[in-house]
């Protein structure tokens, strides 16, 4: 398994770290782009929130992990999982910037 920093809006002191199977680790930047191009169904509460009666797309690390497992890891024994949230950037790990 390979650990990866998930960085939002270039904030490096509030990073999520995920662990991904080695088989997909080298493709993570491409997979992140595919994830951003994908539009989840509004019925999936992992990706949508309701605020004042309106639905808004809210992509978080948990949603990215779910997407990776459902789209990239179905044939793999190991699955992507969240290691830690709201931590500091680790320079030894690969980084995905959202």
């Amino acid at each position: 398994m390979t650990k990866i920093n998930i960085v939002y809006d270039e904030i490096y002191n509030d990073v999520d770290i995920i662990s991904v199977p080695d088989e997909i680790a080298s493709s993570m930047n491409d997979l992140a782009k595919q994830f951003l191009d994908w539009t989840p169904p509004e019925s999936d509460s992992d990706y949508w929130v309701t605020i004042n009666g309106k639905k808004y797309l809210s992509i978080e690390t948990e949603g990215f992990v779910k997407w990776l497992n459902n789209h990239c890891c179905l044939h793999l024994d190991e699955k992507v999982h969240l290691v830690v949230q709201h931590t500091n950037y680790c320079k030894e790990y690969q980084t995905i910037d959202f």
Side-chain angles (χ1 to χ4, degrees):
M1 298 288 283
T2 301
K3 291 183 180 167
I4 297 180
N5 295 297
I6 304 294
V7 178
Y8 296 97
D9 298 323
E10 298 180 3
I11 301 172
Y12 288 87
N13 62 349
D14 186 16
V15 172
D16 296 340
I17 297 175
I18 62 173
S19 183
V20 304
D22 294 335
E23 294 91 338
I24 65 169
S26 64
S27 302
M28 288 305 297
N29 285 322
D30 289 333
L31 293 172
K33 290 175 188 172
Q34 290 176 32
F35 175 67
L36 291 175
D37 290 339
W38 174 73
T39 302
E42 285 190 35
S43 61
D44 195 329
S45 62
D46 286 341
Y47 304 105
W48 294 89
V49 295
T50 302
I51 301 173
N52 296 327
K54 287 187 163 185
K55 284 199 169 195
Y56 296 93
L57 186 59
S58 177
I59 304 287
E60 298 287 339
T61 302
E62 294 93 347
F64 184 45
V65 167
K66 179 182 175 182
W67 183 86
L68 287 167
N69 284 327
N70 289 336
H71 290 86
C72 307
C73 297
L74 291 175
H75 65 286
L76 302 176
D77 292 332
E78 296 178 304
K79 303 300 180 202
V80 177
H81 66 273
L82 184 61
V83 175
V84 64
Q85 287 186 290
H86 310 296
T87 191
N88 289 313
Y89 175 82
C90 184
K91 65 181 179 181
E92 291 86 21
Y93 301 157
Q94 181 180 339
T95 301
I96 296 174
D97 290 296
F98 283 111

